[in-house]
Amino acid sequence: MDAVLLTHPWSVWTIIVPLAAAVLAFLVPRRAPLAGIITALSVALFVAATAYRIFLAGPHTQMLGGWQAPLGITLRADGPALIMLLTSGLVGLTVSLYATGYFTAADRQQRYFWPLWLLLWAACNALFLSGDLFNLYVTLELVTLSSIALAALNGSPAALDGAMRYLLAGLLGSLSYLLGVALIYGAYGTVDLTLLGQTVRADGLSRAALALMTAGLLLKTALFPLHFWLPPAHASAPPPVSALLSGLVVKAPLLILFRLWFEVFPDTATAGMAHLLGILGCGAIIWGSLMALRQQRLKLLVAYSTVAQIGYFFLLFPLARGEAAATAWVGVFLLVLAHGCSKASMFLVCGTITRLAGHDRLAGLAGAGGTLGARLLVFALAAVTLVGMPPSSGFIAKWLLINAAIVAGQWWYLATIALGTLLASGYVLRVLSLAFTESQSPPLPVAPRILRWPPLALSVVAVLLGLAAFHPAVLTLAGAPVSGIILLEMVP
Amino acid sequence: MTPGPLLLFDLLLPAVLLWLAWRSLTSSDLFRAVILFIAFNLLLALAWVRLEAPDVALAEAAIGAGVTGTLLLAALTRIESAAGRRLSRPARWRPAALVLTGTALLAAAAGLLWSLRLLPTMPGGLGPLVDRHLAESGVDHPVTAVLLNFRGYDTLLEVAVLLLAVIAIWCLDEAVPFLQQPLESPLLTGFNRMMLPILLLSAGYLLWLGSHAPGGAFQAASLLAAGLLLALFSGASLPAQWSGLPLRLLLVLGFLAFLAAAIIGPLTGRALLHYPPAWVKPLILLVEWLLTLSIALILTATVIGGRPTGSRPYPPPASPAAEGRQR
């Protein structure tokens, strides 16, 4: 039993199963929700098996087609990929369950949501596992295009407009990335990440390629000030789609950035370039939070909160240089997991509230006692992780980042993290305070169970992950490009 | 080979390409812009020929000029008014913004060109390695070997992108017939009678060629799609009872076959896409044939541009008496 568990390439099934299910959902739309649920459960199982194998036997690779790199493509199941797969498994399972209840009418939206989402899921998992620059481009295209189609799903003018901006930004980002890949292939004759990591020289060509690829990926991750396309696209999509876009999709280009900066070009990237990304990250945290504070609609508030949270991920670039590397690395990856769960849960709650109240205007939600009040409570529970209150996983992640900033002696990042947390609690409390305002609102029906339980379960998981953060933290460092011990200056 | 005329050609071609691209981008008449775009792609195919990449040239001509051009023209027919096809004057840029953007772009381009000098003059790509393993790949043409064996995983995902395109288009809109009624001209009928068999034959030939010379599934599929579109223009249509599950099944057939072939590996203790050595050639050929069929249908479906409505694509033909009156 253990022999199979420890030798079978479980991770490839997280790509194959959603691909096959997408085709089935397209062929037989009536059975699509069933295909979606079965896929969600089996992907969760395959991710667990992958985690077990990495935990016991360490990271492993697979040469597709039996061809060794540089001829063939390599898939790698390592720590960073595993954390991404965990996020994808948790968010995917929850959103799939929720979607069976959200898209109930046998209409166009339900018919096309499933094949598009299952393709997106396969593409995300393929991207997380890919160890090849060009294959990363292909998976990134599949991720972006299916996300755009999903963002336009409800066909409203606002959604089409948001999707069009998304498309143009996405294409520009892809082209820029591809140009960088072409330069690298021209210079080194290979696109395999591991081989490139051993051969890349720190010269002008590498800097040009890194700059091109980074610029493209920044546009795709929507790092401030390139975030202009994100709020309209994320806020006008149907709620399950918004949950996927914010919880999962923005992290895909992020992982490529991490792989490029720390595995392929560790010597090319200078401290100045890393600090530039760090400063943009700080800008994102402050600007995104301020914008979230000003929004009048719940969904836009959550969307701008994503713009802010993306900023934290970019603190990895300046903080992971030097002795704080392992601390920052683990902190950011835990934050990816925490943000994925909490943000998906928040968007799903938004969906339930909009379904119940018929709108998501904050002013109209005042005095939302009763059934809406209960939803707002779930929102608050998800926000515990987002803000980073103990004992949630968000807390552990931010605490590690703060420690990394202290160890690295870069106190200004610590100040930004603190300010961002303060602003985040500001916009979350602004929503929560509505539930306690005294005003008469008409009684609303109770939402169906399937719209209530999945977001609650996901936010509980996000909080509890903080108590069991040890294993994910250790797994994050398996096969990671940074190593060392997790240094802590401060004990909670 | 004397360098004289060819050198002149090599210098002229990029200049013309740049000029066409600029004209296409700045044209305020969309129809004109599309025609310039098609011309640009045809010349780009020539550039690939000059770079000794006949496979890319074929794909560029078939997909870049042919399929993309048709797609753009089909999209234009959906913009109803002639005024809609004419762009209003682009918003005036503020001089400061123009100077800033221009400087930034020029600086980036200059930096990029400057870094190109570091590229090795003799590229050390994967060519020799591919040639060394060609015998084990099951096909005799290096490009096909890369696409369907060495990097078959990329191709599998690219076919998923094509399928995604159809699903996304179907999600957005219903099909509208781009002709209110079938074109009935003796010229078209005669042309079709001549072209359809030729297209079918050359698609088959390109596909067969792909195993040992430039050609293959994508190029063959775009020829086949051209044939299907010609047939559609002259009034042929899919029977209503075929536009449901059977059509969807044909669209996904190639992808499903590829996926099934891919998972033989993990099910038998090998890597994904690792075919059993004895089956390599038949499996690749089968996947390529089914892919050609599916891709041709996918390309046709994207040009039609919407999900099938389940009804006849054209209004029922007028009665002969009414037709007589019109004449």
Side-chain angles (χ1 to χ4, degrees), chain A residues 26-27 65 67 108 132 135, chain B residues 126 149 151 154 171 248 272:
Chain A
F26 176 62
L27 282 179
W67 304 109
R108 190 182 53 81
D132 183 286
N135 183 250
Chain B
L126 293 174
N149 199 336
R151 293 187 72 95
D154 276 342
C171 171
R248 294 203 294 276
L272 190 71

Side-chain angles (χ1 to χ4, degrees), chain B residues 43-89:
Chain B
L43 285 185
L44 197 58
L46 265 187
W48 287 118
V49 173
R50 287 296 302 140
L51 289 169
E52 291 169 18
D55 289 270
V56 189
L58 260 178
E60 184 70 57
I63 296 164
V67 176
T68 317
T70 317
L71 268 177
L72 290 174
L73 286 176
L76 266 190
T77 58
R78 287 205 162 197
I79 305 175
E80 267 138 32
S81 63
R85 289 177 213 169
R86 190 164 276 283
L87 294 178
S88 52
R89 280 261 141 229

